Amino acid sequence: MSSLKTGTYANPVLPGFNPDPSVIRVDKNYFCVTSSFEYFPGAPIYHSKDLVKWDLIGHALTRKSQLDIKTPEPGGGVWATTIRYHNGVFYIITNVFDRYRPQADDRVWPRGFYVKTSNIWDDSTWSDPVYFDQVGFDFDLFWDDDGHVYLSSCYRKVDRSPESKMKDFCIHISTVDLESGSLTSTPKMIRESGSGIAEGPHLFKRNGYYYLFTAEGGTESGHCEYVSRSRESPIGPWEPAPHNPLWRNTTDDDVQNTGHCDIVEGEDGQWWAMCLGVRPRREGEIWRTSVFGRESMLLPIRWENDWPIFNESQPVTLQMSGPNTYMLEEDKKWRDDFTSEKLTLGWYRKNTPVKKDYSLTARPGHLTLYGGPYTLSMPTCPTLFLRKQRHWPVTWETQLTFQPSVPRVEAGNVVWWNYTCHARIGIALNTQSQRIVRFTPPGTNAVAVERNIYEKGDVTFVVDSTDTTYRFGYREVCGAEKLPASREAWVWLGEVDTQVLTQNPVIGQPFTGMMMGVYAFGELQGVLDSAEFAYAEF
């Protein structure tokens, strides 16, 4: 370990909507999965050689037979995926919330399940789910030396006081037959928290000790990571670490809400943890909500008296040091010219689509959308394609060909928090059948802004994002024809404060992050006129 050179690196290592990281190493390769909630495909998989630079290589849940998300509340869907590797096979373990209404304490505990593959580089090789007889969320698998497989998850303890004001979410563990998913022992509660929330369990064995890592206090400002150990078994009895919580980030720090760790040993013997955190923006004495949601952070671990010491018990920061790390020079630009016959990685749908409503070959070099009958404010799957916002300042730009023949249809650009909160700018017809550009800010009582445009011709849309606002504009494009001078510059129709675009839903939770994308929809009618996007770029 003395030969390792200390370097400096930046957090988050997985910026943008990437919460609940789970990480493994196989030979020289690291793999990480994060939560995807109500978006499809689910369970994004990242690859790294050094834990600093990560690349999206695929998704584990790409078929309707694996993931059928219909109309969940914001924050429903796929929670807290765990990735594990055993005897040449990769496993991803998770669950899907179909009903999640925490404001009314109304949730249906889902069954957990796993999918598996021996080739993590090929999305199509992931199996269909094998469902467990255990419910909850934050599932984890652990293979013991004697061949027993242990399944842990979090759900509300059954024997609780009727007067309890706590959530009483606790860690339960059982043995499981992996082939069938059937339990071979009754689940036993092995960890509860004074905060009322113990979740995110991960089990490991090292130097004769079993270790149970748990996230406690909830995923907001009280979030912390704890560890316990046992000499006897994965069931316990458990000895809590004397230095719990392992570190604490507070509401005075630039990184907040940290916790939900997974750990991994490098090929060089150095141990690391990945956890979630948020990076709000300070404005005087208050904090502006982070548009990126919960992101994945990296922190070093050393061992002392068979206890893990995370980052010397210091808070996670935006710039940190660790063995063999470096400051990544990342190209933050991205562009899709739609020249492939398949969608490039990183495009997401809200919910699982029931039919194919797009083409990359109908007009070569374009993404053609055939808008469905659901608007963006409906909880089902609209014709909507999204990408995660990972940085600011940034601009999102697309060029659209769309000639609507009837009112009540629209296509364009969107900035997306969830189906209850988003802002869009697109082409439509007004009641006089005049082609217009319409900007629609978030909110049920929001007043749209409209501008007449030429009857024909492409429109380029732009969203200009800063750390405080999103500004929405357009410019008409008429091929080789030179437009009048007044039409050459961007026309700005509106601006939305990030605090307005990150409002909490009335039902559900904002567990995700800001996304930008393209859409086409009709109001309870399909769109007969195709919407053709020439490119999309950050």
Side-chain angles (χ1 to χ4, degrees):
M1 299 275 282
S2 59
S3 64
L4 302 184
K5 182 180 178 182
T6 298
T8 301
Y9 64 94
N11 271 322
V13 291
L14 278 175
F17 154 33
N18 278 298
D20 311 319
S22 178
V23 61
I24 59 170
R25 178 178 61 84
V26 179
D27 299 323
K28 297 179 182 295
N29 299 288
Y30 296 94
F31 300 97
C32 178
V33 295
T34 60
S35 296
S36 49
F37 292 94
E38 60 262 45
Y39 297 99
F40 183 91
I45 305 167
Y46 297 89
H47 169 257
S48 177
K49 289 286 191 180
D50 55 22
L51 294 169
V52 174
K53 183 182 185 299
W54 291 92
D55 295 301
L56 180 66
I57 61 168
H59 300 79
L61 306 175
T62 61
R63 307 187 297 273
K64 190 180 175 75
S65 61
Q66 297 170 311
L67 181 63
D68 191 9
I69 304 175
K70 293 180 178 174
T71 56
E73 296 77 17
V78 176
W79 280 33
T81 44
T82 292
I83 186 169
R84 293 293 179 255
Y85 181 77
H86 183 72
N87 287 347
V89 178
F90 294 89
Y91 295 81
I92 286 181
I93 312 101
T94 189
N95 62 270
V96 179
F97 267 101
D98 293 319
R99 184 184 183 96
Y100 182 66
R101 302 175 180 179
Q103 290 82 355
D105 199 18
D106 178 7
R107 55 182 70 74
V108 177
W109 298 110
R111 287 175 181 258
F113 66 88
Y114 73 83
V115 293
K116 66 179 181 178
T117 183
S118 57
N119 182 8
I120 198 170
W121 301 96
D122 183 351
D123 284 3
S124 68
T125 64
W126 287 96
S127 69
D128 277 348
V130 175
Y131 285 91
F132 302 124
D133 287 332
Q134 187 159 316
V135 300
F137 60 94
D138 294 5
F139 283 83
D140 181 78
L141 282 177
F142 171 73
W143 287 260
D144 205 355
D145 300 333
D146 61 5
H148 284 95
V149 183
Y150 290 84
L151 174 69
S152 56
S153 70
C154 172
Y155 56 91
R156 175 169 285 157
K157 66 179 181 180
V158 177
D159 296 318
R160 63 192 293 256
S161 168
E163 287 78 37
S164 176
K165 304 300 182 185
M166 298 279 200
K167 288 186 176 180
D168 292 320
F169 292 174
C170 304
I171 308 303
H172 299 76
I173 192 167
S174 59
T175 52
V176 63
D177 172 61
L178 267 189
E179 190 69 25
S180 65
S182 299
L183 301 189
T184 56
S185 67
T186 301
K188 179 181 179 181
M189 188 178 73
I190 59 170
R191 177 72 183 175
E192 58 182 321
S193 171
S195 68
I197 302 175
E199 55 190 354
H202 288 307
L203 275 167
F204 297 90
K205 192 174 186 180
R206 178 185 181 274
N207 286 357
Y209 281 104
Y210 297 94
Y211 292 89
L212 172 65
F213 289 89
T214 53
E216 304 191 11
T219 193
E220 293 82 25
S221 59
H223 207 198
C224 291
E225 189 73 15
Y226 287 70
V227 67
S228 303
R229 71 184 183 186
S230 173
R231 274 285 191 193
E232 295 188 25
S233 82
I235 305 294
W238 296 100
E239 172 194 4
H243 56 296
N244 277 334
L246 297 173
W247 81 92
R248 186 183 290 275
N249 280 65
T250 73
T251 52
D252 293 325
D253 295 312
D254 289 336
V255 178
Q256 300 178 15
N257 304 4
T258 52
H260 200 112
C261 282
D262 202 2
I263 67 172
V264 66
E265 183 182 13
E267 194 177 22
D268 55 13
Q270 171 66 41
W271 284 80
W272 295 90
M274 293 185 72
C275 74
L276 69 81
V278 298
R279 44 179 174 142
R281 182 183 180 277
R282 187 191 292 272
E283 292 186 345
E285 297 301 313
I286 64 171
W287 291 93
R288 179 177 286 269
T289 302
S290 172
V291 300
F292 305 113
R294 302 175 303 159
E295 306 173 278
S296 291
M297 313 284 171
L298 178 69
L299 57 162
I301 299 173
R302 66 176 178 85
W303 293 85
E304 184 177 293
N305 299 322
D306 285 317
W307 285 115
I309 309 297
F310 282 53
N311 194 40
E312 301 302 325
S313 302
Q314 297 302 304
V316 177
T317 57
L318 294 175
Q319 185 168 305
M320 295 181 59
S321 61
N324 288 347
T325 57
Y326 61 96
M327 195 60 72
L328 178 65
E329 296 294 330
E330 184 181 10
D331 184 1
K332 297 177 181 179
K333 294 181 180 179
W334 169 90
R335 181 179 172 104
D336 194 339
D337 288 306
F338 304 120
T339 54
S340 171
E341 292 188 1
K342 293 178 62 177
L343 274 177
T344 57
L345 282 175
W347 285 103
Y348 293 94
R349 306 297 303 268
K350 182 205 170 296
N351 304 358
T352 306
V354 297
K355 64 177 294 185
K356 188 174 181 181
D357 50 5
Y358 73 96
S359 174
L360 287 161
T361 57
R363 183 181 177 187
H366 289 73
L367 171 63
T368 299
L369 302 187
Y370 307 105
Y374 299 115
T375 71
L376 305 189
S377 297
M378 294 181 175
T380 187
C381 181
T383 304
L384 170 67
F385 292 77
L386 298 165
R387 294 193 73 89
K388 299 174 182 179
Q389 182 183 353
R390 303 171 66 241
H391 311 285
W392 47 247
V394 70
T395 59
W396 171 254
E397 184 179 311
T398 63
Q399 184 171 313
L400 172 62
T401 303
F402 184 50
Q403 299 293 142
S405 56
V406 296
R408 299 192 180 280
V409 301
E410 186 176 308
N413 266 13
V414 66
V415 176
W416 179 270
W417 188 240
N418 55 57
Y419 74 85
T420 72
C421 187
H422 51 269
R424 66 181 194 265
I425 184 169
I427 298 173
L429 289 184
N430 63 17
T431 53
Q432 289 78 43
S433 295
Q434 166 68 45
R435 200 168 76 129
I436 59 170
V437 166
R438 176 186 294 135
F439 164 64
T440 307
T444 54
N445 299 316
V447 178
V449 178
E450 298 179 352
R451 292 288 185 275
N452 291 349
I453 58 174
Y454 290 126
E455 291 301 311
K456 295 185 181 299
D458 290 3
V459 174
T460 301
F461 291 111
V462 67
V463 177
D464 185 18
S465 163
T466 69
D467 53 353
T468 59
T469 59
Y470 292 90
R471 187 165 61 141
F472 294 77
Y474 74 94
R475 181 170 57 196
E476 292 188 71
V477 180
C478 292
E481 300 177 27
K482 184 169 177 61
L483 296 172
S486 62
R487 298 274 182 158
E488 287 182 344
W490 292 110
V491 180
W492 300 101
L493 293 189
E495 186 174 274
V496 183
D497 191 284
T498 62
Q499 291 293 82
V500 175
L501 259 171
T502 53
Q503 293 179 22
N504 287 355
V506 175
I507 300 174
Q509 287 289 351
F511 287 148
T512 58
M514 200 69 75
M515 305 169 86
M516 300 188 189
V518 296
Y519 68 88
F521 69 78
E523 296 181 29
L524 300 182
Q525 59 180 315
V527 184
L528 301 183
D529 309 293
S530 61
E532 300 161 2
F533 291 88
Y535 64 87
E537 70 175 358
F538 279 118

